[in-house]
Amino acid sequence: MDKRGEPGTNSPGLGADIHGLASEPTKIDPDLRMAPGERRRVAILFVELQDLYSWSEVLKHDELNRVLDRIYTVFSGIVASFGGSVARTAEGILLALFGNRSASEMDGQRAVRASLGMFEKLHQINRYLSNRQIQLDIKAGVHIGMVA
């Protein structure tokens, strides 16, 4: 990532290199935990994958988990390219933190740019999903504030 908060050129794709990932919710990174009484200013990016219940009518359980793993991997790469950390993925939700390791005035802007990167990636993801007769849409929100 450059000084303006722009992502690098290594943009995550949907290639075969992300097969075989676990379908369980991600574990919270120990580096994201804070000491008792510690407070930090962070930007929190919340992303919700829409209409997943309708996907379960089309896809078998193991195939649904593989598709979700690919989407989470792509989105996690986008978050990382803007200097964020994915705190949790589960049940159609991705929660990412910006500024949790070292705060910057740009944390909110980087979280918004990461969400825009995800929206830009939807076309490629939906092209991948089209042969499964499903489509991805997302909702995203950013909150900036103190956490304890």
Side-chain angles (χ1 to χ4, degrees), residues 30-115:
D31 291 339
L32 301 180
R33 296 175 196 240
M34 297 187 298
E38 182 181 2
R39 293 174 54 88
R40 294 183 195 166
R41 178 179 155 86
V42 298
I44 302 168
L45 170 60
F46 178 87
V47 179
E48 180 181 6
L49 309 181
Q50 299 292 288
D51 300 325
L52 290 187
Y53 292 111
S54 66
W55 290 19
S56 63
E57 296 172 2
V58 177
L59 302 175
K60 294 179 183 176
H61 181 72
D62 59 334
E63 185 178 14
L64 176 62
N65 284 336
R66 279 194 306 274
V67 168
L68 289 175
D69 286 340
R70 285 177 172 226
I71 292 167
Y72 287 139
T73 299
V74 169
F75 285 177
S76 295
I78 292 170
V79 167
S81 75
F82 284 98
S85 304
V86 174
R88 186 118 177 121
T89 60
E91 300 178 11
I93 302 296
L94 181 140
L95 184 67
L97 304 175
F98 294 80
N100 55 306
R101 294 192 172 123
S102 62
S104 161
E105 292 178 8
M106 302 291 287
D107 293 333
Q109 190 175 89
R110 290 184 301 128
V112 170
R113 288 183 177 181
S115 70

Side-chain angles (χ1 to χ4, degrees), residues 13-21 70 73 128:
L14 290 168
D17 57 327
I18 58 176
H19 281 288
L21 298 172
R70 285 177 172 226
T73 299
Y128 166 78

